Amino acid sequence: TQLLEQSPQFLSIQEGENLTVYCNSSSVFSSLQWYRQEPGEGPVLLVTVVTGGEVKKLKRLTFQFGDARKDSSLHITAAQPGDTGLYLCAGEDSGNTPLVFGKGTRLSVIA
Amino acid sequence: DVKVTQSSRYLVKRTGEKVFLECVQDMDHENMFWYRQDPGLGLRLIYFSYDVKMKEKGDIPEGYSVSREKKERFSLILESASTNQTSMYLCASSSSGVGNEKLFFGSGTQLSVL
């Protein structure tokens, strides 16, 4: 069974600080996705990374896929209260199987 | 705007009741999924379906069944609700294809079994 470990589990920071959250596995994934879930809502896809070493930017969010396609990181620059939420990574196998989700990092940005 | 709609945001049921959770998507997606989400345990896949009339067990199917009679509708059934099925239930859909599957989620149903 493929597993994705996310760290840290919880993160509480002040507005304006930078942060990085991690998603690690011992398995190789064909692609990796990051979702954000706000309170009372379902997760929403932020980005998909496909190529080993790939870096994608979404405004103040930077996503990186590890060279070996086993891990990924999400870096947020100058965090805002609107970044508050649960960040989930999800890995896609090469076969026709459902996504594997990590347990998430719950981020709280305090104004 | 594309949508996955879950019939109830909040539901309170009694132990032993039969419970139906409905999910409808308007994107003509082939794939549909049911997850439950619990603090500290993340998203756990209950059942999924890659086509009408088709269903596959996920990681935690015990105590649940599903029905997919039409492409746009995927129902989750708790045959005899128990307190340990109190949870947030999330429905999702995606289109079939090769790679880069993108899931669209509903807003969830918070089920309490008393």
Side-chain angles (χ1 to χ4, degrees):
Chain A
T1 303
Q2 294 177 305
L3 290 174
L4 280 167
E5 301 284 343
Q6 290 191 243
S7 61
Q9 189 176 356
F10 300 97
L11 192 54
S12 181
I13 61 170
Q14 294 292 126
E15 182 177 1
E17 291 184 8
N18 302 333
L19 66 114
T20 303
V21 298
Y22 301 92
C23 175
N24 296 303
S25 176
S26 58
S27 303
V28 175
F29 290 96
S30 61
S31 69
L32 205 136
Q33 301 176 2
W34 285 92
Y35 291 79
R36 180 169 66 206
Q37 183 180 18
E38 298 182 10
E41 298 297 329
V44 175
L45 181 67
L46 296 173
V47 78
T48 302
V49 284
V50 180
T51 307
E54 182 177 5
V55 176
K56 280 192 174 178
K57 293 194 174 186
L58 188 65
K59 296 183 181 178
R60 293 175 293 99
L61 279 61
T62 302
F63 304 85
Q64 184 160 8
F65 201 12
D67 291 341
R69 290 186 287 127
K70 292 182 179 181
D71 54 84
S72 181
S73 64
L74 158 59
H75 182 80
I76 301 179
T77 303
Q80 304 293 315
D83 297 326
T84 292
L86 179 67
Y87 289 82
L88 294 159
C89 66
E92 183 173 23
D93 197 353
S94 54
N96 190 26
T97 56
L99 291 174
V100 175
F101 278 88
K103 293 182 180 180
T105 292
R106 190 166 296 280
L107 172 65
S108 177
V109 182
I110 302 161
Chain B
D1 212 10
V2 295
K3 261 193 166 181
V4 176
T5 303
Q6 295 185 229
S7 52
S8 306
R9 290 299 295 264
Y10 301 96
L11 213 50
V12 180
K13 296 292 181 181
R14 297 240 175 243
T15 303
E17 279 193 74
K18 191 169 186 176
V19 181
F20 293 87
L21 301 183
E22 306 287 348
C23 176
V24 177
Q25 50 95 5
D26 64 1
M27 295 167 280
D28 200 35
H29 283 167
E30 294 78 13
N31 309 331
M32 296 190 76
F33 307 82
W34 274 106
Y35 294 87
R36 64 177 284 177
Q37 185 174 33
D38 301 286
L41 296 178
L43 285 171
R44 292 184 290 169
L45 182 62
I46 305 171
Y47 267 97
F48 61 101
S49 169
Y50 283 159
D51 202 352
V52 177
K53 306 269 187 185
M54 178 267 186
K55 60 185 178 185
E56 293 277 355
K57 292 181 179 179
D59 299 319
I60 52 163
E62 296 79 18
Y64 303 94
S65 62
V66 290
S67 173
R68 191 152 181 217
E69 295 296 316
K70 293 185 177 181
K71 188 176 185 179
E72 67 271 19
R73 187 180 297 270
F74 193 35
S75 303
L76 180 68
I77 304 155
L78 285 67
E79 296 291 342
S80 178
S82 63
T83 55
N84 63 13
Q85 292 179 310
T86 291
S87 186
M88 170 67 81
Y89 289 87
L90 288 163
C91 175
S93 71
S94 69
S95 62
S96 64
V98 180
N100 296 342
E101 181 179 30
K102 175 181 178 179
L103 289 182
F104 292 85
F105 283 88
S107 296
T109 296
Q110 180 62 54
L111 173 67
S112 296
V113 182
L114 307 178

